[in-house]
């Protein structure tokens, strides 16, 4: 299932207000600005950007996630820099000291992602189109939730965002699993915004919670289901026993932006619906 929301007039319309030279330190502002037809404002992007594909061809790459080429950013003469989370606090502080206006968002939930689209649009002067885009994203989620509500059975789902150490429970993913028709097995960890607070000391808690489906998205490297299945004691987990280990590509789910609310949740829903068809 692939769901992608785009405003029909976005490619042709641009406004004159707001910042004109924007550097995006992470992927989600780039995707939002392209969707709103405001890509001409972008002068620099994250090296991890893959959505939309043309962004990598058109824009210079000036940052990773935990580091950035400060001098290269300054050469672009940005009037606005957009980043995400406490992890980019040092990058933001250095740019601010160099006289650059910076906005660091820190949204962690599905509602926060939708609101992020609205706020970013307002900050660059296209609030009405951003509101329409956010509304379209919300309608897509509502449609998936309505479909999943008709499933005969809800699977228990374990999502792993890193393997060494094991990290799980990222909030927007927990919420998207629920919307897609499953129940995350570590919902209590979703209240923890920092990854270090969502580390499992070992794999025993996963064994104890017996997920029916294991989803993996290891940021920056390929998910290896065979390695997960070979962990000591994991052979008794229903997901391992039944071969229900699936990769969700990290660009689709690990950035808190439109990708997660469209293709990311769509991929989760397809896996859950397939499972339900076999186990209902």
């Amino acid at each position: 299932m692939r769901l992608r929301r785009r405003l029909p007039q976005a490619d042709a319309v641009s406004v004159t207000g707001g910042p004109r030279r924007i550097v995006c330190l992470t992927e989600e502002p780039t995707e939002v600005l392209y969707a709103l037809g405001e890509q001409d404002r972008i002068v620099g992007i994250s090296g991890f950007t893959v959505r939309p594909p043309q962004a990598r061809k058109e824009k210079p790459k000036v940052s990773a996630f935990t580091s950035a080429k400060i001098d290269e950013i300054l050469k672009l003469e940005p009037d606005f820099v957009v980043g995400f989370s406490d992890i980019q606090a040092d990058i933001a502080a250095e740019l601010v000291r160099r006289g650059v206006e910076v906005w660091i968002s820190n949204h962690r939930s599905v509602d926060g992602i939708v609101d992020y689209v609205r706020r970013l649009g307002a900050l660059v002067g296209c609030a009405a189109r951003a509101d329409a885009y956010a509304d379209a994203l919300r309608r897509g989620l509502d449609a998936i939730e309505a479909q999943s509500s008709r499933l005969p059975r809800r699977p228990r789902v374990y999502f792993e965002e890193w393997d060494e150490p094991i990290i799980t429970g990222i909030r927007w993913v927990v919420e998207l699993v629920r919307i897609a028709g499953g129940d995350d097995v570590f919902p209590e960890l979703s209240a923890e915004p920092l990854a270090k607070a969502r580390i499992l000391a070992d794999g025993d808690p996963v064994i104890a919670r017996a997920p029916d489906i294991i989803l993996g998205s290891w940021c920056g490297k390929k998910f290896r289901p065979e390695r997960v299945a070979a962990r000591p004691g994991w052979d008794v987990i229903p997901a391992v026993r039944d071969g229900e280990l699936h990769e969700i590509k990290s660009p689709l789910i690990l950035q808190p932006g439109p990708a997660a609310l469209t293709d990311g949740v769509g991929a989760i829903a397809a896996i859950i619906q397939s499972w339900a068809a076999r186990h209902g």
Side-chain angles (χ1 to χ4, degrees):
M1 178 184 298
R2 291 182 66 80
L3 300 173
R4 187 165 295 162
R5 308 289 179 211
R6 188 176 180 86
L7 297 182
Q9 74 274 34
D11 286 332
V13 180
S14 183
V15 296
T16 58
R20 304 305 307 170
R21 300 183 61 81
I22 301 173
V23 168
C24 301
L25 298 177
T26 55
E27 306 100 299
E28 61 275 3
T30 299
E31 186 174 8
V32 171
L33 292 173
Y34 267 84
L36 297 178
E38 298 297 335
Q39 60 268 27
D40 288 348
R41 299 176 186 262
I42 301 173
V43 296
I45 63 172
S46 163
F48 290 114
T49 302
V50 296
R51 292 168 62 99
Q54 63 264 38
R56 291 188 65 83
K57 302 175 184 177
E58 298 172 346
K59 309 296 182 180
K61 293 172 278 294
V62 294
S63 72
F65 189 45
T66 59
S67 63
K69 302 173 184 176
I70 299 297
D71 289 339
E72 294 300 313
I73 291 174
L74 294 174
K75 288 177 184 177
L76 295 171
E77 299 181 339
D79 54 5
F80 193 49
V81 173
V82 185
F84 172 72
S85 89
D86 55 290
I87 295 177
Q88 294 193 322
D90 291 341
I91 300 171
E94 179 60 24
L95 289 170
V96 170
R97 282 192 288 266
R98 305 286 286 270
V100 179
E101 183 174 353
V102 180
W103 179 43
I104 297 293
S105 63
N106 211 9
H107 55 290
R108 306 283 177 163
S109 65
V110 168
D111 285 345
I113 296 172
V114 175
D115 185 58
Y116 170 80
V117 171
R118 301 186 195 278
R119 286 187 293 156
L120 180 57
L123 284 168
V124 303
C126 56
R129 273 180 288 131
D131 284 343
Y133 183 42
D135 289 344
L137 292 170
R138 176 60 68 184
R139 286 194 299 271
L141 294 171
D142 290 345
I144 290 177
E145 189 166 19
Q147 185 178 23
S148 70
S149 69
R150 297 190 290 270
L151 293 175
R153 182 180 167 195
R154 297 178 66 89
R156 299 181 303 279
V157 179
Y158 166 66
F159 178 83
E160 186 170 289
E161 62 181 284
W162 195 246
D163 61 329
E164 296 177 342
I166 295 174
I167 304 177
T168 187
I170 193 166
R171 180 173 174 181
W172 68 82
V173 177
V174 170
E175 294 175 351
L176 291 174
V177 165
R178 178 190 57 76
I179 289 169
D183 295 312
D184 189 276
V185 296
F186 290 101
E188 72 278 9
L189 294 182
S190 67
E192 300 289 348
L194 303 182
K196 63 183 180 181
R198 294 183 276 106
I199 294 174
L200 302 181
D202 54 48
D204 289 349
V206 183
I207 298 171
R209 300 197 185 195
D212 300 299
I213 295 172
I214 292 175
L215 303 177
S217 187
W218 296 346
C219 186
K221 64 181 181 180
K222 183 175 176 57
F223 176 66
R224 298 291 184 182
E226 71 279 4
R227 294 183 186 175
V228 174
R231 290 172 181 169
W234 281 44
D235 57 311
V236 301
I237 295 175
V240 175
R241 181 193 64 213
D242 299 337
E244 293 285 354
L245 297 92
H246 306 274
E247 180 177 27
I248 306 291
K249 298 294 186 181
S250 56
L252 300 185
I253 199 66
L254 289 185
Q255 55 134 322
L261 306 192
T262 54
D263 289 355
V265 69
I268 296 171
I271 291 167
I272 289 175
Q273 288 165 15
S274 178
W275 178 90
R278 294 191 297 274
H279 296 85

